[in-house]
Amino acid sequence: MPNVATTKRGKIHLGLMLGVSLTLPAAGFAMDAPAAKPAMDQAAQTAAQPRVVVLATGGTIAGTADPRSAIGYNSGTVTGLQLLKGVPGIEKLANLSSEQISNVGSQDMNDKIWFQLARRINEIFDRDEADAVVVTHGTDTMEETAFFLENVVRSAKPVVLVGAMRPGGSTGADGPSNLYQAVQVAASPQAGGRHVMVVLNDEIHGARWVTKTNTTSVQTFRSPNAAPLGYVDPAHIRFLAPAMRTGTSYDLPTGEQLPRVEIVYAHSNMDGLQIDNAVRNGAKAIVVAGEGDGSASKAALDALARAVKKGVIVVRSTRVGAGFVNRNVEVDDDRSGFVVSYDLNPQKARVLVQLLVANGITGADQVQQAFAATY
């Protein structure tokens, strides 16, 4: 029988964060299991395995093919428990349990789900319910969720995000192998102290560095300003460097929403209208996806300077896929009161500023120091 969380009556319990508790017969999790062992040996084996909780949020990995096109599919139609049932041999890696946080395509990921996810992970580790957590997630916003969790999960125990580029039932579906490897990494003693990671397509990436680089390829996640943390296959896990935790853990605000922070995309012939509108609409900060090393037109820079004078934090990032945005190169950041994102892309810079504002860190010098402290 697979090693999964069971009740005293021998039933698998699937805890749902959506307010529904589902108990299924243990036989419902049947898969190609090893030959039966004596009860005492089986219990000892289960107790010795690392405990991994799988928190499911939806995404392509939980999707099913749709006949509207050759590659059409619908995200978030399969539960976390069903995903585990579809991966032969995964029960040999860890003592597994599954909880459903949400079931959405990651384009619909939002603050409320983020807060539920973060609070549940902190609770799991604070209560010593598991040795590691795996989060199944869509790839579109996975890097943002990973970076958010990197900054709010207090424990350095492994949190591994995993997804897929092809839904279940499609030709070459990558979800089962990715999920197997994510659990494999999470359960490994080598993963201790590495905090939040992303595992897809045989690679292990750090939450700070990873980004999605291709719309459809299974080799979509890369770390342009760094390198993978390591590599994984069904027989091996190879980390390239010792574990190292960076950054600061921030408190989640009360309620279910982070402060409003807008991303403005720089382009040729740009005026200041988008920036002025963001200020009028109550943005606490503006992140510029700038040209080149985070630059923008004179009209846009003037509008950003006006925003700073009104108490809005301005962070210069870049729309370029790799490289650092440094202070005082083409733009006089000291005079204008701007912050630079260094290596953080606009979407991750936005997450960090949201957390900083929520924690009362709003001075340009403090914000700049927080960006520097994350690597």
Side-chain angles (χ1 to χ4, degrees), residues 69-95:
S69 73
I71 56 174
Y73 68 94
N74 299 304
S75 297
T77 59
V78 175
T79 68
L81 184 60
Q82 289 171 317
L83 289 177
L84 289 173
K85 287 170 60 177
V87 185
I90 198 170
E91 77 284 354
K92 300 175 185 178
L93 300 174
N95 188 350

PDB file of all heavy atoms in Angstrom, residues 69-95:
ATOM      1  N   SER A  69      -8.144  22.690 -29.978  1.00  0.00           N
ATOM      2  CA  SER A  69      -6.978  22.768 -30.853  1.00  0.00           C
ATOM      3  C   SER A  69      -6.048  21.621 -30.504  1.00  0.00           C
ATOM      4  O   SER A  69      -6.243  20.929 -29.495  1.00  0.00           O
ATOM      5  CB  SER A  69      -6.238  24.104 -30.685  1.00  0.00           C
ATOM      6  OG  SER A  69      -5.529  24.141 -29.464  1.00  0.00           O
ATOM      7  N   ALA A  70      -5.018  21.430 -31.311  1.00  0.00           N
ATOM      8  CA  ALA A  70      -4.094  20.316 -31.098  1.00  0.00           C
ATOM      9  C   ALA A  70      -3.354  20.434 -29.774  1.00  0.00           C
ATOM     10  O   ALA A  70      -2.896  19.424 -29.222  1.00  0.00           O
ATOM     11  CB  ALA A  70      -3.095  20.239 -32.249  1.00  0.00           C
ATOM     12  N   ILE A  71      -3.206  21.663 -29.275  1.00  0.00           N
ATOM     13  CA  ILE A  71      -2.511  21.848 -27.998  1.00  0.00           C
ATOM     14  C   ILE A  71      -3.405  22.530 -26.964  1.00  0.00           C
ATOM     15  O   ILE A  71      -2.927  23.050 -25.952  1.00  0.00           O
ATOM     16  CB  ILE A  71      -1.210  22.665 -28.183  1.00  0.00           C
ATOM     17  CG1 ILE A  71      -1.508  24.011 -28.837  1.00  0.00           C
ATOM     18  CG2 ILE A  71      -0.187  21.871 -28.982  1.00  0.00           C
ATOM     19  CD1 ILE A  71      -0.287  24.930 -28.921  1.00  0.00           C
ATOM     20  N   GLY A  72      -4.725  22.527 -27.204  1.00  0.00           N
ATOM     21  CA  GLY A  72      -5.646  23.164 -26.268  1.00  0.00           C
ATOM     22  C   GLY A  72      -5.801  22.368 -24.984  1.00  0.00           C
ATOM     23  O   GLY A  72      -5.730  21.139 -24.974  1.00  0.00           O
ATOM     24  N   TYR A  73      -6.000  23.087 -23.891  1.00  0.00           N
ATOM     25  CA  TYR A  73      -6.221  22.420 -22.611  1.00  0.00           C
ATOM     26  C   TYR A  73      -6.889  23.385 -21.637  1.00  0.00           C
ATOM     27  O   TYR A  73      -6.950  24.588 -21.869  1.00  0.00           O
ATOM     28  CB  TYR A  73      -4.904  21.912 -22.007  1.00  0.00           C
ATOM     29  CG  TYR A  73      -3.952  22.986 -21.552  1.00  0.00           C
ATOM     30  CD1 TYR A  73      -3.951  23.429 -20.237  1.00  0.00           C
ATOM     31  CD2 TYR A  73      -3.051  23.561 -22.441  1.00  0.00           C
ATOM     32  CE1 TYR A  73      -3.087  24.428 -19.812  1.00  0.00           C
ATOM     33  CE2 TYR A  73      -2.175  24.551 -22.027  1.00  0.00           C
ATOM     34  CZ  TYR A  73      -2.201  24.981 -20.714  1.00  0.00           C
ATOM     35  OH  TYR A  73      -1.339  25.968 -20.304  1.00  0.00           O
ATOM     36  N   ASN A  74      -7.402  22.834 -20.543  1.00  0.00           N
ATOM     37  CA  ASN A  74      -8.013  23.614 -19.478  1.00  0.00           C
ATOM     38  C   ASN A  74      -7.229  23.388 -18.195  1.00  0.00           C
ATOM     39  O   ASN A  74      -7.010  22.245 -17.783  1.00  0.00           O
ATOM     40  CB  ASN A  74      -9.474  23.199 -19.278  1.00  0.00           C
ATOM     41  CG  ASN A  74     -10.304  23.429 -20.532  1.00  0.00           C
ATOM     42  OD1 ASN A  74     -10.360  24.536 -21.046  1.00  0.00           O
ATOM     43  ND2 ASN A  74     -10.926  22.372 -21.027  1.00  0.00           N
ATOM     44  N   SER A  75      -6.783  24.479 -17.558  1.00  0.00           N
ATOM     45  CA  SER A  75      -6.006  24.381 -16.328  1.00  0.00           C
ATOM     46  C   SER A  75      -6.898  24.036 -15.148  1.00  0.00           C
ATOM     47  O   SER A  75      -8.096  24.322 -15.140  1.00  0.00           O
ATOM     48  CB  SER A  75      -5.288  25.707 -16.045  1.00  0.00           C
ATOM     49  OG  SER A  75      -4.368  26.011 -17.048  1.00  0.00           O
ATOM     50  N   GLY A  76      -6.291  23.443 -14.125  1.00  0.00           N
ATOM     51  CA  GLY A  76      -6.941  23.282 -12.835  1.00  0.00           C
ATOM     52  C   GLY A  76      -8.191  22.434 -12.854  1.00  0.00           C
ATOM     53  O   GLY A  76      -9.226  22.838 -12.305  1.00  0.00           O
ATOM     54  N   THR A  77      -8.143  21.255 -13.471  1.00  0.00           N
ATOM     55  CA  THR A  77      -9.312  20.372 -13.486  1.00  0.00           C
ATOM     56  C   THR A  77      -9.071  19.071 -12.725  1.00  0.00           C
ATOM     57  O   THR A  77      -9.979  18.262 -12.577  1.00  0.00           O
ATOM     58  CB  THR A  77      -9.708  20.031 -14.934  1.00  0.00           C
ATOM     59  OG1 THR A  77      -8.602  19.402 -15.593  1.00  0.00           O
ATOM     60  CG2 THR A  77     -10.087  21.293 -15.695  1.00  0.00           C
ATOM     61  N   VAL A  78      -7.854  18.858 -12.233  1.00  0.00           N
ATOM     62  CA  VAL A  78      -7.484  17.629 -11.549  1.00  0.00           C
ATOM     63  C   VAL A  78      -6.995  17.998 -10.144  1.00  0.00           C
ATOM     64  O   VAL A  78      -6.340  19.024  -9.948  1.00  0.00           O
ATOM     65  CB  VAL A  78      -6.361  16.887 -12.318  1.00  0.00           C
ATOM     66  CG1 VAL A  78      -5.879  15.663 -11.565  1.00  0.00           C
ATOM     67  CG2 VAL A  78      -6.863  16.496 -13.703  1.00  0.00           C
ATOM     68  N   THR A  79      -7.324  17.193  -9.153  1.00  0.00           N
ATOM     69  CA  THR A  79      -6.919  17.482  -7.779  1.00  0.00           C
ATOM     70  C   THR A  79      -5.492  17.019  -7.514  1.00  0.00           C
ATOM     71  O   THR A  79      -4.916  16.219  -8.264  1.00  0.00           O
ATOM     72  CB  THR A  79      -7.846  16.783  -6.780  1.00  0.00           C
ATOM     73  OG1 THR A  79      -7.654  15.362  -6.872  1.00  0.00           O
ATOM     74  CG2 THR A  79      -9.313  17.124  -7.044  1.00  0.00           C
ATOM     75  N   GLY A  80      -4.945  17.488  -6.408  1.00  0.00           N
ATOM     76  CA  GLY A  80      -3.615  17.065  -6.010  1.00  0.00           C
ATOM     77  C   GLY A  80      -3.529  15.583  -5.751  1.00  0.00           C
ATOM     78  O   GLY A  80      -2.531  14.929  -6.091  1.00  0.00           O
ATOM     79  N   LEU A  81      -4.554  15.023  -5.135  1.00  0.00           N
ATOM     80  CA  LEU A  81      -4.553  13.592  -4.859  1.00  0.00           C
ATOM     81  C   LEU A  81      -4.555  12.785  -6.149  1.00  0.00           C
ATOM     82  O   LEU A  81      -3.839  11.784  -6.276  1.00  0.00           O
ATOM     83  CB  LEU A  81      -5.761  13.222  -4.004  1.00  0.00           C
ATOM     84  CG  LEU A  81      -5.835  11.760  -3.544  1.00  0.00           C
ATOM     85  CD1 LEU A  81      -4.627  11.392  -2.698  1.00  0.00           C
ATOM     86  CD2 LEU A  81      -7.123  11.491  -2.793  1.00  0.00           C
ATOM     87  N   GLN A  82      -5.317  13.249  -7.139  1.00  0.00           N
ATOM     88  CA  GLN A  82      -5.328  12.570  -8.435  1.00  0.00           C
ATOM     89  C   GLN A  82      -3.960  12.654  -9.117  1.00  0.00           C
ATOM     90  O   GLN A  82      -3.530  11.703  -9.772  1.00  0.00           O
ATOM     91  CB  GLN A  82      -6.417  13.179  -9.328  1.00  0.00           C
ATOM     92  CG  GLN A  82      -7.838  12.839  -8.880  1.00  0.00           C
ATOM     93  CD  GLN A  82      -8.882  13.617  -9.641  1.00  0.00           C
ATOM     94  OE1 GLN A  82      -8.736  14.819  -9.873  1.00  0.00           O
ATOM     95  NE2 GLN A  82      -9.956  12.940 -10.050  1.00  0.00           N
ATOM     96  N   LEU A  83      -3.288  13.782  -8.958  1.00  0.00           N
ATOM     97  CA  LEU A  83      -1.945  13.908  -9.520  1.00  0.00           C
ATOM     98  C   LEU A  83      -1.009  12.872  -8.912  1.00  0.00           C
ATOM     99  O   LEU A  83      -0.242  12.213  -9.623  1.00  0.00           O
ATOM    100  CB  LEU A  83      -1.393  15.313  -9.270  1.00  0.00           C
ATOM    101  CG  LEU A  83      -2.019  16.457 -10.055  1.00  0.00           C
ATOM    102  CD1 LEU A  83      -1.411  17.782  -9.621  1.00  0.00           C
ATOM    103  CD2 LEU A  83      -1.846  16.261 -11.556  1.00  0.00           C
ATOM    104  N   LEU A  84      -1.053  12.720  -7.612  1.00  0.00           N
ATOM    105  CA  LEU A  84      -0.185  11.746  -6.948  1.00  0.00           C
ATOM    106  C   LEU A  84      -0.511  10.324  -7.399  1.00  0.00           C
ATOM    107  O   LEU A  84       0.391   9.506  -7.604  1.00  0.00           O
ATOM    108  CB  LEU A  84      -0.333  11.860  -5.433  1.00  0.00           C
ATOM    109  CG  LEU A  84       0.255  13.116  -4.790  1.00  0.00           C
ATOM    110  CD1 LEU A  84      -0.115  13.174  -3.317  1.00  0.00           C
ATOM    111  CD2 LEU A  84       1.767  13.176  -4.969  1.00  0.00           C
ATOM    112  N   LYS A  85      -1.782  10.035  -7.570  1.00  0.00           N
ATOM    113  CA  LYS A  85      -2.188   8.693  -7.997  1.00  0.00           C
ATOM    114  C   LYS A  85      -1.656   8.358  -9.389  1.00  0.00           C
ATOM    115  O   LYS A  85      -1.468   7.196  -9.720  1.00  0.00           O
ATOM    116  CB  LYS A  85      -3.720   8.594  -8.013  1.00  0.00           C
ATOM    117  CG  LYS A  85      -4.358   8.539  -6.635  1.00  0.00           C
ATOM    118  CD  LYS A  85      -5.865   8.697  -6.718  1.00  0.00           C
ATOM    119  CE  LYS A  85      -6.515   7.610  -7.542  1.00  0.00           C
ATOM    120  NZ  LYS A  85      -7.998   7.740  -7.567  1.00  0.00           N
ATOM    121  N   GLY A  86      -1.386   9.386 -10.189  1.00  0.00           N
ATOM    122  CA  GLY A  86      -0.943   9.155 -11.559  1.00  0.00           C
ATOM    123  C   GLY A  86       0.557   9.050 -11.729  1.00  0.00           C
ATOM    124  O   GLY A  86       1.035   9.025 -12.865  1.00  0.00           O
ATOM    125  N   VAL A  87       1.302   8.990 -10.618  1.00  0.00           N
ATOM    126  CA  VAL A  87       2.771   8.932 -10.703  1.00  0.00           C
ATOM    127  C   VAL A  87       3.259   7.625 -10.084  1.00  0.00           C
ATOM    128  O   VAL A  87       3.420   7.527  -8.867  1.00  0.00           O
ATOM    129  CB  VAL A  87       3.421  10.130  -9.988  1.00  0.00           C
ATOM    130  CG1 VAL A  87       4.936  10.108 -10.195  1.00  0.00           C
ATOM    131  CG2 VAL A  87       2.831  11.436 -10.493  1.00  0.00           C
ATOM    132  N   PRO A  88       3.502   6.600 -10.877  1.00  0.00           N
ATOM    133  CA  PRO A  88       3.946   5.312 -10.328  1.00  0.00           C
ATOM    134  C   PRO A  88       5.261   5.453  -9.571  1.00  0.00           C
ATOM    135  O   PRO A  88       6.190   6.127 -10.012  1.00  0.00           O
ATOM    136  CB  PRO A  88       4.142   4.442 -11.589  1.00  0.00           C
ATOM    137  CG  PRO A  88       3.299   5.089 -12.637  1.00  0.00           C
ATOM    138  CD  PRO A  88       3.339   6.553 -12.339  1.00  0.00           C
ATOM    139  N   GLY A  89       5.299   4.842  -8.400  1.00  0.00           N
ATOM    140  CA  GLY A  89       6.518   4.800  -7.608  1.00  0.00           C
ATOM    141  C   GLY A  89       6.756   5.995  -6.717  1.00  0.00           C
ATOM    142  O   GLY A  89       7.696   5.989  -5.910  1.00  0.00           O
ATOM    143  N   ILE A  90       5.914   7.022  -6.796  1.00  0.00           N
ATOM    144  CA  ILE A  90       6.157   8.216  -6.000  1.00  0.00           C
ATOM    145  C   ILE A  90       6.008   7.935  -4.505  1.00  0.00           C
ATOM    146  O   ILE A  90       6.635   8.576  -3.668  1.00  0.00           O
ATOM    147  CB  ILE A  90       5.223   9.372  -6.442  1.00  0.00           C
ATOM    148  CG1 ILE A  90       5.767  10.716  -5.941  1.00  0.00           C
ATOM    149  CG2 ILE A  90       3.785   9.128  -6.009  1.00  0.00           C
ATOM    150  CD1 ILE A  90       5.050  11.916  -6.534  1.00  0.00           C
ATOM    151  N   GLU A  91       5.187   6.929  -4.188  1.00  0.00           N
ATOM    152  CA  GLU A  91       4.965   6.594  -2.775  1.00  0.00           C
ATOM    153  C   GLU A  91       6.209   6.018  -2.119  1.00  0.00           C
ATOM    154  O   GLU A  91       6.287   5.949  -0.885  1.00  0.00           O
ATOM    155  CB  GLU A  91       3.788   5.615  -2.655  1.00  0.00           C
ATOM    156  CG  GLU A  91       4.094   4.174  -3.015  1.00  0.00           C
ATOM    157  CD  GLU A  91       4.203   3.929  -4.513  1.00  0.00           C
ATOM    158  OE1 GLU A  91       3.920   4.859  -5.294  1.00  0.00           O
ATOM    159  OE2 GLU A  91       4.573   2.805  -4.907  1.00  0.00           O
ATOM    160  N   LYS A  92       7.185   5.608  -2.910  1.00  0.00           N
ATOM    161  CA  LYS A  92       8.421   5.065  -2.347  1.00  0.00           C
ATOM    162  C   LYS A  92       9.376   6.169  -1.882  1.00  0.00           C
ATOM    163  O   LYS A  92      10.340   5.884  -1.175  1.00  0.00           O
ATOM    164  CB  LYS A  92       9.130   4.189  -3.383  1.00  0.00           C
ATOM    165  CG  LYS A  92       8.299   3.007  -3.859  1.00  0.00           C
ATOM    166  CD  LYS A  92       9.016   2.259  -4.978  1.00  0.00           C
ATOM    167  CE  LYS A  92       8.148   1.136  -5.546  1.00  0.00           C
ATOM    168  NZ  LYS A  92       8.822   0.439  -6.680  1.00  0.00           N
ATOM    169  N   LEU A  93       9.111   7.391  -2.292  1.00  0.00           N
ATOM    170  CA  LEU A  93      10.025   8.487  -1.997  1.00  0.00           C
ATOM    171  C   LEU A  93       9.788   9.121  -0.641  1.00  0.00           C
ATOM    172  O   LEU A  93      10.719   9.643  -0.021  1.00  0.00           O
ATOM    173  CB  LEU A  93       9.894   9.574  -3.072  1.00  0.00           C
ATOM    174  CG  LEU A  93      10.207   9.176  -4.505  1.00  0.00           C
ATOM    175  CD1 LEU A  93       9.875  10.327  -5.455  1.00  0.00           C
ATOM    176  CD2 LEU A  93      11.664   8.775  -4.641  1.00  0.00           C
ATOM    177  N   ALA A  94       8.526   9.127  -0.194  1.00  0.00           N
ATOM    178  CA  ALA A  94       8.198   9.870   1.020  1.00  0.00           C
ATOM    179  C   ALA A  94       6.849   9.415   1.551  1.00  0.00           C
ATOM    180  O   ALA A  94       6.062   8.766   0.854  1.00  0.00           O
ATOM    181  CB  ALA A  94       8.158  11.366   0.729  1.00  0.00           C
ATOM    182  N   ASN A  95       6.598   9.777   2.794  1.00  0.00           N
ATOM    183  CA  ASN A  95       5.284   9.617   3.402  1.00  0.00           C
ATOM    184  C   ASN A  95       4.461  10.825   2.969  1.00  0.00           C
ATOM    185  O   ASN A  95       4.662  11.933   3.461  1.00  0.00           O
ATOM    186  CB  ASN A  95       5.438   9.558   4.927  1.00  0.00           C
ATOM    187  CG  ASN A  95       4.151   9.192   5.621  1.00  0.00           C
ATOM    188  OD1 ASN A  95       3.089   9.146   5.009  1.00  0.00           O
ATOM    189  ND2 ASN A  95       4.238   8.944   6.913  1.00  0.00           N
TER     190      ASN A  95
END
